[in-house]
C-alpha cells in the first residue's frame, strides 16, 4: 500500500506494473489474507498499525479480485482504469501536432508493438497494454533470473523510453491539463 501510494503520485507507469505484481503476489498466496499477513506482510519492518493498514489494503484487493473474477488471471477494475486513462492520453497525444517528440517516439517503437502482437500477444489489447505486457513480462523474467535476448532487451529499452514519455505527459496533465488542439 505504501509503495503503491508513492508510485501513484510519482510514476503512474511503475505504479501500474507494481499493481500487476501485487495481483500476482495475491494469487501466489492463494488469495488468502491470513497467508499474506503471515508470509508476506510480517516480513516488512512495519509498525503494528502499518501492518494492519497493509493487511486491510490487501484484503480490499482480494475482495475486488474475487468480485471481479480475477482470482486466476486478469486485472482488477482500478488497474484497468489506469491503463484506459493512459491509452486515452496516448490517443490524444498522437492526434495533436503539439507533441512531435511523442509522435516520433511512438513511430520508433511501433515496429516492436507490431512484432509483439504478431508473436501471440492478444490482438484485442490496445498498443499501450501491449507495451505494458511486454515490460511486465521482461520484469518477471528478470525476477526469475532467466535469460533475455539482446533483441528483447533493445525492444524493452525503446518501449520503456516511450512509456516514460507517456508517464511524464500523464503527470503533467494531472498537474495542469495539457492543451491538445
Amino acid at each position: 500500500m505504501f509503495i503503491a501510494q508513492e508510485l501513484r503520485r510519482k510514476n503512474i507507469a511503475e505504479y501500474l506494473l507494481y499493481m500487476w505484481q501485487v495481483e500476482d503476489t495475491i494469487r501466489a498466496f492463494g488469495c488468502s489474507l491470513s497467508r499474506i499477513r503471515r508470509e508476506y506482510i510480517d516480513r516488512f519492518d512495519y509498525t503494528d498499525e502499518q501492518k494492519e493498514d497493509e493487511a486491510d489494503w490487501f484484503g480490499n484487493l482480494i475482495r475486488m479480485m474475487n468480485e471481479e473474477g480475477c482470482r486466476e488471471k486478469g486485472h482488477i477494475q482500478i488497474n484497468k482504469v489506469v491503463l484506459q486513462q493512459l491509452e486515452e492520453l496516448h490517443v490524444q497525444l498522437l492526434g495533436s501536432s503539439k507533441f512531435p517528440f511523442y509522435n516520433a517516439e511512438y513511430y520508433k517503437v511501433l515496429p516492436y508493438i507490431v512484432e509483439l502482437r504478431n508473436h501471440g500477444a492478444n490482438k484485442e489489447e490496445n498498443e499501450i497494454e501491449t507495451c505494458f505486457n511486454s515490460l511486465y513480462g521482461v520484469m518477471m523474467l528478470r525476477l526469475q533470473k532467466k535469460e533475455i535476448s539482446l533483441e528483447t532487451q533493445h525492444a524493452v529499452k525503446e518501449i520503456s523510453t516511450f512509456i516514460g514519455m507517456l508517464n511524464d505527459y500523464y503527470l503533467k496533465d494531472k498537474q495542469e491539463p495539457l492543451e491538445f488542439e
Side-chain angles (χ1 to χ4, degrees):
M1 174 183 82
F2 305 110
I3 295 169
Q5 289 171 336
E6 184 72 14
L7 286 174
R8 184 159 182 117
R9 254 192 332 276
K10 291 186 174 180
N11 191 318
I12 198 68
E14 286 183 13
Y15 165 80
L16 188 58
L17 292 170
Y18 176 76
M19 289 302 295
W20 285 6
Q21 189 176 16
V22 167
E23 290 171 334
D24 282 344
T25 299
I26 290 170
R27 291 181 188 108
F29 287 105
C31 296
S32 166
L33 183 56
S34 61
R35 280 191 64 205
I36 291 170
R37 271 183 201 262
R38 187 177 61 251
E39 299 173 38
Y40 186 73
I41 296 172
D42 284 347
R43 294 174 35 200
F44 292 96
D45 188 27
Y46 290 152
T47 65
D48 289 343
E49 185 179 335
Q50 287 173 320
K51 286 180 181 180
E52 281 305 309
D53 289 344
E54 193 81 356
D56 287 346
W57 183 68
F58 270 99
N60 285 329
L61 293 173
I62 291 167
R63 181 184 46 75
M64 286 180 225
M65 289 173 73
N66 285 328
E67 289 174 359
E68 297 173 25
C70 298
R71 282 182 68 94
E72 305 296 322
K73 63 179 182 165
H75 303 296
I76 55 177
Q77 196 61 37
I78 58 171
N79 294 334
K80 288 179 182 177
V81 167
V82 170
L83 191 61
Q84 182 180 350
Q85 289 171 339
L86 289 168
E87 171 63 18
E88 289 169 1
L89 178 59
H90 165 69
V91 169
Q92 288 179 303
L93 291 166
L94 285 182
S96 173
S97 61
K98 290 185 174 188
F99 306 95
F101 294 112
Y102 183 83
N103 273 269
E105 195 61 38
Y106 167 71
Y107 285 107
K108 189 175 174 184
V109 83
L110 185 58
Y112 300 116
I113 295 170
V114 170
E115 189 174 333
L116 286 164
R117 286 187 162 174
N118 288 339
H119 288 303
N122 180 353
K123 296 189 183 1
E124 298 298 313
E125 68 189 20
N126 64 55
E127 293 171 329
I128 299 304
E129 188 171 1
T130 298
C131 289
F132 272 93
N133 279 329
S134 69
L135 294 174
Y136 188 74
V138 168
M139 186 176 86
M140 290 295 102
L141 289 173
R142 285 186 177 135
L143 286 173
Q144 297 166 18
K145 300 195 183 328
K146 293 190 176 172
E147 191 174 328
I148 300 162
S149 72
L150 289 175
E151 296 85 14
T152 300
Q153 288 178 39
H154 180 72
V156 165
K157 184 176 185 231
E158 295 296 335
I159 291 170
S160 293
T161 300
F162 171 64
I163 292 298
M165 284 184 92
L166 179 60
N167 175 73
D168 292 346
Y169 282 120
Y170 177 90
L171 294 175
K172 285 178 188 173
D173 190 48
K174 291 298 172 198
Q175 290 173 350
E176 185 175 324
L178 296 173
E179 290 189 26
F180 307 97
E181 321 176 284

